[in-house]
Amino acid sequence: MGIHMIARRIGVERWQAVLAAPETAWTVVGEPDLDLDKAWSGLDYLLDDAVPEEARAAIRGGVPIGEDQGYGPVRGLDPPMAAAVAAALDATSLDALRSRYEPEVMESLDVYPGGWQGDDFDGWLSQRFADVCAFYRSAAAEGEAALLTLT
């Protein structure tokens, strides 16, 4: 099974409703627009320190909303922050991320889920990065917020 990351885009009215009733955040994010499966930690590692600061918020950014559900609370990025993340991700080259992909280092640092191999970047992480970019690009285009959580 393992730890997965899911995310959901929501409009401004729903964002305000979630902030007003934080206990609903888990239910709302439970209908995801993005499921990174177990790639979330590898992407978080690749985005750390190598890209514009806003891009780092793509995986673990935002403000905590509601109670800890086992792997932390749902995290939320308001529409301006989601748009800033989209712009920062668009400014991040795949080559920059590829240059940070070092399976041996990731293994030594226990980057989840482990078992990193030479072809994991092009065979798995690059596609998940494209999915993250598309998610935030859609949120920015629609003026939406983003909810993130680990399950």
Side-chain angles (χ1 to χ4, degrees):
M1 179 85 176
I3 304 169
H4 295 236
M5 185 196 133
I6 57 174
R8 172 101 189 260
R9 298 183 327 269
I10 58 173
V12 173
E13 287 183 23
R14 194 147 195 203
W15 167 253
Q16 292 170 341
V18 166
L19 292 178
E23 67 278 3
T24 66
W26 180 252
T27 302
V28 173
V29 78
E31 303 167 14
D33 296 306
L34 174 68
D35 184 343
L36 288 180
D37 191 37
K38 298 176 186 176
W40 63 271
S41 187
L43 289 174
D44 188 52
Y45 171 82
L46 295 176
L47 290 168
D48 190 40
D49 293 332
V51 298
E53 184 175 339
E54 291 83 3
R56 294 181 220 151
I59 306 299
R60 296 214 235 191
V63 297
I65 302 173
E67 297 295 319
D68 186 328
Q69 297 296 321
Y71 296 114
V74 171
R75 302 194 62 80
L77 291 83
D78 65 15
M81 185 60 189
V85 169
L89 289 171
D90 282 343
T92 302
S93 76
L94 207 52
D95 288 336
L97 296 183
R98 185 180 284 111
S99 72
R100 288 201 28 92
Y101 182 69
E102 299 176 298
E104 305 81 24
V105 173
M106 293 169 72
E107 282 294 312
S108 72
L109 295 173
D110 292 325
V111 175
Y112 185 81
W116 298 104
Q117 299 177 16
D119 61 350
D120 284 340
F121 184 84
D122 289 318
W124 186 43
L125 291 175
S126 64
Q127 179 56 53
R128 294 302 190 181
F129 177 67
D131 295 343
V132 170
C133 291
F135 171 83
Y136 281 102
R137 206 174 290 124
S138 292
E142 298 297 323
E144 295 173 321
L147 297 178
L148 323 170
T149 196
L150 299 176
T151 62

